[in-house]
Each structure stands twice: as structure tokens, then as C-alpha cells.
Amino acid sequence: MEQSFLAYLRGRCRSLPQVDVGIGDDAAVFAPPPGDLVVCTDQIIDGVDFRSEELDESDDGLANVGYKSVAINLSDLAAMGARPHSILVTLSLPRDDATRIAGDVYEGILEIASEFQLAIAGGDISTYDGPLAISVTAVGSVPPGSAWRRGGAEEGDAIFVTGAFGGSLLGRHLRPRPRLDVAAALRKVCPVHAAIDVSDGLSLDLDRMLAASRLGAELDVDAIPIHSDAETMASRSERSAWEHAWSDGEDFELIFAVAEENADRVAGLDLDVPITRIGTVVGRTGLWQRTASKVRRLSPQGYEHKSGSGDQRVTDETGTDQG
Amino acid sequence: MEQSFLAYLRGRCRSLPQVDVGIGDDAAVFAPPPGDLVVCTDQIIDGVDFRSEELDESDDGLANVGYKSVAINLSDLAAMGARPHSILVTLSLPRDDATRIAGDVYEGILEIASEFQLAIAGGDISTYDGPLAISVTAVGSVPPGSAWRRGGAEEGDAIFVTGAFGGSLLGRHLRPRPRLDVAAALRKVCPVHAAIDVSDGLSLDLDRMLAASRLGAELDVDAIPIHSDAETMASRSERSAWEHAWSDGEDFELIFAVAEENADRVAGLDLDVPITRIGTVVGRTGLWQRTASKVRRLSPQGYEHKSGSGDQRVTDETGTDQG
């Protein structure tokens, strides 16, 4: 299949940005985008990150999976404050119907590549006795020395999030919107000290960002934006909408920290997605809720996508009250 | 598993070259190596590219698979005349014994990373209901505008190969030697017009290079270096050692074309691996053998690794005699 499919793909890629040497040689060649390179790789697998039997076949089921495989990588680039440049795509295809699956998946890949003007620099295709797996490597760039790391938060920083949380499994998780536009807008407004994207759960990823910074946060738990999908999920589960927002994951929104003095400028940004302040970075590690009378420790929760025994709900710490 | 395994991996990577931001953040960040970027991605899968049940468990079976997963990508970089910089590694692990498998595979990955001084910039790990699959993205560089493409051969060019061919399935295919040293040495001697590495078969990959150049070759078929493994294979098969060399594949040697005026300088290179001239680029497309009385068309043969129905022996054209 590979040779003829690659010929088809080269044709479909003509309207996208091009690299100097692309699909069809031993490797891709291009002048690096200016600044530091930002490179990430993330894969999604049928049965682990999505379930093909639950996809709507009359709809764009496999195209959405292709879209997601790129979007989650662009979300990682957004979390570094990077601008995307190109992707490489590796498909592992079940032997049955491999060509149709590859074509359907690429519909979504081409859609998001066009949307964000990515070059498809290369890739690999195999057929095997296994489930559909898509591994994407994304290449982007930031001005030299300016990548947003998890570990750069400072005490007193304001903590913001994009969008709203919870219930993405109802379908939103297949069409995440990488917050590259927010990243680009933030770059013009003020330095971002630390950032992370929410793949495993708002509280779990927030906790990771703060742990990398060796700091903690006091949160305004009532300010956390709850997605309507979380309300829907709550009506069918034993957990509240807030709990879904706190821990569901696969929201692919950004969490970021900026100096308190810049908080108003960030809050005043007029973007397609709401930006909400949810708390403040504090010296004491962990996540905390301050009320009138006391400070209560909050338990980060979420899903670890790639644990040895498959996805599992995790609680990093048990909740404890502190006066 | 991922968090603790990544902590272990960070420790093991300390003796390797480092990127500015590496394993443990949302993406890797580093200043691009000087020149044009050269990026490739290639995966190997149990049951397709190797068979884990045939690996020597007392030996370094899975480590060799890890080694190979990187080596085949470095071979692609060598075929572009590039210098390697870093790799990203994505593992898809069978649920049973995932941590042990990941550890064993990484032994080989760390070995080759140390050998070629590669940074391990990032990666992804999943466990799933499927066979071991390793997808590697390799990043390298060339001086601006100087990547060796398949399509740059010119009529009259001398065609060379590194090493010897055939029978790699006896074990050599698991420990290929990427010809980065040859690529570096050639860069100092003369321009290389076109190059490719031999993954699917000497004749098939040579034919691809020439087809990309819209040219053909007259070959000295007796000059083709035959590996002793090909002799061993021939003693067990109905094909000659020459036929094994012609079509077996997975040799990961280089084929390259240089101007005739530079042929002697290339032939005179003193390297760890022999470099052998096997023919001359001609205007007539296809592969040809000139004898005293006639020119005979040769049939490119080899394995297409990633065809829709699995690996299969292919013959691009039937042999025909021309006077």
C-alpha cells in the first residue's frame, strides 16, 4: 500500500505549507523555524485513548481520531508557548481494511494541518495484527530561551485557565481545540512563568505544574469553570459537575501562571475562549482552599493515561484539613 | 508506570547530551543544530519487523530491538548526509510485563544513543492489547541546502555502495551499523549527488533512487559485494548468494552517486567499512547489465516492508533482454 498511498498523500498535501524535502525521501529537510525548537510526540491507540467501536460510523469517526492525534500534540506545543511548524505521522493499521482506515484518519489529519497551516514533513505506515495506533511528532518554535516550562511558577503568581472543564468524554475529547491562539496572544501581553495543558485532569495537571515549581496553590474552587458536558455527566453519575471538572481530564485547556501585576491584563484579553483566574501560587506545596475560617487541603485527582495497568483513576494525596 | 519509569530514564540519560528542556515537560526544547534540519520517523513492530519469540532471551534480544529502532532512523539520516542530534522514542507495550520490556528495550536505545551521542529529547509510553511497537523520530542537520536527496543523480555519475549485502535476516538486521561515519567522511571529499539507504533490497532501493532522479544505471553485477551471510543463506535456500545480495534487504548500507571525476577519491577513502563501485548512472531508466555483446535489463527485487498485506517480495519489472 505504502507507495501508492504516499503518492495520494503528496497530492493532498499540496495546499499545505511545504518543507524543502518531504514525503518520499529518506527524511524531511527544512530550515528550522527561528528561535528554539520545541518538539513533542504523543500517540493515541484504539482501546486505550478512544474506542473505534463507539465512533459514529455515519459521521467522521476515524477522521476525528486523526484530528485528535494531531490536536493533542499541538496542545503540548501551546503549553510551551510555541508556534507550530510541522508534523510527522506514524500509522499502525489493523490489516483488515488498512487503506480505508488510513484514508479516513488522514481526512482529520489534513483538516487540522490545514487549520493550523502545518507542513506534513513525513511519517511511516505499517500494517500489523493490532489496533489502530497513531503516533504524531510535532515541531514548533519559541523565541530563544522563552519556552514556558512547568517549573517556572513563582510565589504570588496568578493562576489562570482557558475554557471550561469536565465531561469531555461525551465527545469533546475527540475534537480538542489546541490553545495556540491563546498562547500567541499571551506572548504579546506578558511573560508566562509556567504552563501545562490538561490531559489527565485539571487538578492533577495543576498539581504537576506546581510540583515542578516546588510550590503550591490556593484555589478559588467556585471559580473553576465547569463545562456543560460536566453537568450532563453529573446527571448520569454519582459525582457532581464540579468533581467532573476537577478530575475528568482530556480537556486540553491550558493552565498558566503569570505575575500578579499582570493578572488584570491577562483577565482583560478578548479571545475566542474565556480565560479565568482560579487561584494564586503559594509557598506551601499542594492544592489548598482558603475559606473565611480555615485552609483545606484539596486532593488532586485524574487519570493517568499510560499507567502499566491501563488508564486508572488516581488520587495523589488524601484530603486533610488544616486550620 | 510512566512517572516512575520516566524518573528512572532521566537518571540513565544523564551521561548523554542534554536538551534545554527534556523528558518530563510537555515538549522538548533546544536550540536547533546549525544548518537545515533533517527529521525522520520509522517504527518497528513485533511480528512485522522482528519476531520476539525468535529473539535469544538469554542474550540481549529486546535490547537489540531497541538498538535497531534507533539505528534504522540514523541510517535514514546517514542517507541524507546528515549529522544526528537527538531522538524521541514512543513505546507501545503489551500489558503483560510492560515494565520489564520497556527496560530491556531501553538498554539498547541507551547503548546506541551513547554510541552516537544522541540526546533523548522525549517520547511517549502506552500499554495496550497489542504487540511491542517502537516508533522513533530522529533529528539531525546538514549544512544549508546540502541534504543528499534521492533525485539528484546525474548521467555519468559513479554509483557506490558501503559494506556488503544479503542474508541480514540471520541476525545482522537487528544490529545495523548506520553509516554516519561514511556520510561525514564523504562530505569532506566531494559533493554527493544522490543517496539512499538499503532497507528493502539493494536493487529495489537503487531503482528507487534512480527513478527519483529519472535516470537508470548500468551495473557491474560481479562487483556487488556479497556478505558471508548471503552465502550461508544460499546454502539453505534455492537462491544464489548473489540473488540474496540483490534483493534481501535490511542491510542498512548506503547507495550513493558522485561525479565520475570524484570516483577515485571516493574509492580511495580509508574507512572502517569497504566502499565499492557497482556501476554508472545512465540516461535510460531501469537497471542494466552491459556485457561484451549486449545490454540486459535487470529486475529490481526486494521486500516492501509496509504493504497492505504485510511484507511481501516484489519485482518491479520483469527481466527483458535488449541487444
Side-chain angles (χ1 to χ4, degrees), chain A residues 9-314:
Chain A
L9 201 54
R10 267 197 297 270
R12 291 291 307 272
C13 288
R14 282 210 186 99
S15 60
L16 297 174
Q18 300 294 306
V19 289
D20 297 339
V21 179
I23 297 165
D25 215 309
D26 292 300
V29 182
F30 51 93
D36 284 344
L37 279 181
V38 182
V39 185
C40 62
T41 188
D42 220 343
Q43 69 178 341
I44 58 175
I45 303 181
D46 189 4
V48 179
D49 303 282
F50 64 94
R51 289 180 204 286
S52 56
E53 70 269 21
E54 293 172 8
L55 297 173
D56 187 349
E57 288 201 26
S58 66
D59 198 19
D60 303 317
L62 284 172
N64 284 344
V65 169
Y67 189 98
K68 177 177 181 175
S69 70
V70 177
I72 58 176
N73 279 283
L74 297 186
S75 183
D76 280 328
L77 292 188
M80 306 301 286
R83 179 191 176 114
H85 176 276
S86 51
I87 54 172
L88 296 93
V89 178
T90 295
L91 297 184
S92 304
L93 301 164
R95 289 191 200 283
D96 286 350
D97 228 7
T99 305
R100 182 191 64 80
I101 294 170
D104 285 356
V105 166
Y106 254 103
E107 286 304 320
I109 292 173
L110 289 163
E111 181 191 343
I112 192 167
S114 174
E115 192 176 350
F116 291 98
Q117 287 297 292
L118 312 171
I120 298 183
D124 191 16
I125 300 178
S126 298
T127 52
Y128 77 136
D129 295 320
L132 171 62
I134 313 172
S135 172
V136 172
T137 297
V139 178
S141 65
V142 290
S146 74
W148 301 344
R149 304 184 56 162
R150 294 181 180 179
E154 297 176 16
E155 198 170 342
D157 279 354
I159 301 170
F160 286 89
V161 295
T162 62
F165 294 83
S168 75
L169 267 181
L170 291 183
R172 216 166 80 242
H173 76 106
L174 283 173
R175 299 282 298 191
R177 177 88 202 154
R179 297 303 181 191
L180 291 160
D181 46 354
V182 177
L186 280 172
R187 280 207 167 269
K188 293 179 186 163
V189 167
C190 69
V192 170
H193 290 169
I196 191 170
D197 72 321
V198 177
S199 53
D200 293 350
L202 168 59
S203 57
L204 199 58
D205 287 314
L206 173 60
D207 192 54
R208 284 179 184 152
M209 184 183 89
L210 292 163
S213 300
R214 297 169 195 272
L215 294 167
E218 278 185 16
L219 300 178
D220 179 359
V221 297
D222 297 326
I224 290 173
I226 297 171
H227 198 279
S228 59
D229 287 342
E231 311 277 3
T232 307
M233 290 279 272
S235 69
R236 305 175 190 171
S237 76
E238 292 179 351
R239 297 161 62 228
S240 70
W242 186 89
E243 286 173 303
H244 281 285
W246 182 248
S247 63
D248 272 359
E250 299 246 309
D251 304 290
F252 299 105
E253 299 293 348
L254 295 185
I255 308 171
F256 59 93
V258 302
E260 177 66 43
E261 69 202 51
N262 292 316
D264 285 347
R265 302 182 67 191
V266 170
L269 276 173
D270 182 23
L271 298 169
D272 288 344
V273 60
I275 294 183
T276 309
R277 180 166 183 173
I278 62 165
T280 301
V281 177
V282 298
R284 180 165 48 174
T285 58
L287 305 183
W288 307 89
Q289 177 186 16
R290 179 178 293 277
T291 60
S293 59
K294 62 180 182 177
V295 176
R296 186 171 73 93
R297 183 155 198 164
L298 301 161
S299 303
Q301 289 182 327
Y303 281 91
E304 291 221 344
H305 276 83
K306 292 111 184 182
S307 61
S309 52
D311 286 10
Q312 62 186 23
R313 177 162 292 277
V314 296

Side-chain angles (χ1 to χ4, degrees), chain A residues 1 24-26 28-30 32 35 37-39 42-43 90-92 95 124-127 137 150 197 306-308 310, chain B residues 1 24-26 28-30 32 35 37-39 42-43 90-92 124-127 137 150 197 306-308 310:
Chain A
M1 184 187 74
D25 215 309
D26 292 300
V29 182
F30 51 93
L37 279 181
V38 182
V39 185
D42 220 343
Q43 69 178 341
T90 295
L91 297 184
S92 304
R95 289 191 200 283
D124 191 16
I125 300 178
S126 298
T127 52
T137 297
R150 294 181 180 179
D197 72 321
K306 292 111 184 182
S307 61
Chain B
M1 183 187 75
D25 214 308
D26 291 300
V29 182
F30 52 93
L37 279 181
V38 182
V39 186
D42 220 344
Q43 69 178 339
T90 295
L91 297 183
S92 305
D124 191 16
I125 299 178
S126 297
T127 53
T137 297
R150 294 181 180 180
D197 72 321
K306 293 111 184 180
S307 62

Side-chain angles (χ1 to χ4, degrees), chain B residues 115-190:
Chain B
E115 193 177 349
F116 291 98
Q117 287 296 293
L118 312 171
I120 297 183
D124 191 16
I125 299 178
S126 297
T127 53
Y128 78 136
D129 294 320
L132 171 62
I134 313 171
S135 173
V136 172
T137 297
V139 178
S141 65
V142 290
S146 75
W148 302 344
R149 303 184 56 162
R150 294 181 180 180
E154 297 177 16
E155 199 172 340
D157 278 356
I159 301 170
F160 286 89
V161 295
T162 61
F165 295 83
S168 74
L169 268 180
L170 291 183
R172 215 166 80 241
H173 77 107
L174 283 173
R175 298 283 297 191
R177 178 86 201 157
R179 297 303 181 190
L180 291 159
D181 45 356
V182 176
L186 279 173
R187 281 207 165 270
K188 292 180 186 162
V189 167
C190 69

Side-chain angles (χ1 to χ4, degrees), chain B:
Chain B
M1 183 187 75
E2 195 174 37
Q3 298 297 324
S4 59
F5 188 77
L6 292 187
Y8 157 79
L9 200 56
R10 268 197 297 271
R12 290 292 306 273
C13 288
R14 284 210 185 98
S15 59
L16 296 175
Q18 300 293 305
V19 289
D20 297 340
V21 179
I23 297 165
D25 214 308
D26 291 300
V29 182
F30 52 93
D36 284 344
L37 279 181
V38 182
V39 186
C40 61
T41 188
D42 220 344
Q43 69 178 339
I44 59 175
I45 304 180
D46 190 2
V48 179
D49 304 282
F50 64 93
R51 290 180 201 289
S52 56
E53 70 269 22
E54 294 171 7
L55 297 174
D56 187 351
E57 290 201 25
S58 67
D59 196 21
D60 304 316
L62 284 173
N64 283 344
V65 169
Y67 189 98
K68 177 177 181 174
S69 71
V70 178
I72 59 175
N73 280 281
L74 298 186
S75 183
D76 280 329
L77 291 188
M80 306 302 286
R83 180 192 176 113
H85 176 277
S86 51
I87 54 173
L88 297 94
V89 178
T90 295
L91 297 183
S92 305
L93 301 164
R95 290 190 199 283
D96 286 350
D97 227 8
T99 306
R100 183 190 63 81
I101 293 170
D104 287 355
V105 166
Y106 254 104
E107 286 303 321
I109 291 173
L110 290 163
E111 181 193 344
I112 192 167
S114 174
E115 193 177 349
F116 291 98
Q117 287 296 293
L118 312 171
I120 297 183
D124 191 16
I125 299 178
S126 297
T127 53
Y128 78 136
D129 294 320
L132 171 62
I134 313 171
S135 173
V136 172
T137 297
V139 178
S141 65
V142 290
S146 75
W148 302 344
R149 303 184 56 162
R150 294 181 180 180
E154 297 177 16
E155 199 172 340
D157 278 356
I159 301 170
F160 286 89
V161 295
T162 61
F165 295 83
S168 74
L169 268 180
L170 291 183
R172 215 166 80 241
H173 77 107
L174 283 173
R175 298 283 297 191
R177 178 86 201 157
R179 297 303 181 190
L180 291 159
D181 45 356
V182 176
L186 279 173
R187 281 207 165 270
K188 292 180 186 162
V189 167
C190 69
V192 169
H193 290 167
I196 192 170
D197 72 321
V198 177
S199 53
D200 292 351
L202 168 60
S203 56
L204 199 58
D205 287 315
L206 172 60
D207 192 53
R208 283 179 185 153
M209 183 182 90
L210 293 164
S213 300
R214 298 169 195 270
L215 293 167
E218 278 185 16
L219 300 179
D220 179 359
V221 297
D222 297 327
I224 291 172
I226 297 171
H227 198 281
S228 60
D229 287 342
E231 311 276 4
T232 307
M233 290 278 271
S235 70
R236 304 175 191 170
S237 77
E238 293 179 350
R239 297 161 62 229
S240 70
W242 186 89
E243 286 173 304
H244 281 285
W246 182 248
S247 64
D248 272 359
E250 300 245 310
D251 305 290
F252 299 106
E253 298 293 349
L254 296 185
I255 307 171
F256 59 93
V258 301
E260 177 66 44
E261 68 202 51
N262 292 318
D264 285 348
R265 301 181 69 190
V266 170
L269 277 173
D270 182 23
L271 298 169
D272 289 343
V273 60
I275 294 183
T276 309
R277 179 165 182 175
I278 63 164
T280 302
V281 178
V282 297
R284 182 164 46 175
T285 57
L287 305 183
W288 307 90
Q289 177 187 16
R290 180 179 292 277
T291 60
S293 60
K294 63 178 182 177
V295 176
R296 186 171 73 93
R297 184 155 198 163
L298 300 162
S299 303
Q301 290 183 326
Y303 282 92
E304 291 220 344
H305 276 83
K306 293 111 184 180
S307 62
S309 52
D311 286 9
Q312 61 186 23
R313 178 162 291 277
V314 295
T315 302
D316 271 10
E317 285 148 316
T318 54
T320 54
D321 277 8
Q322 296 214 354

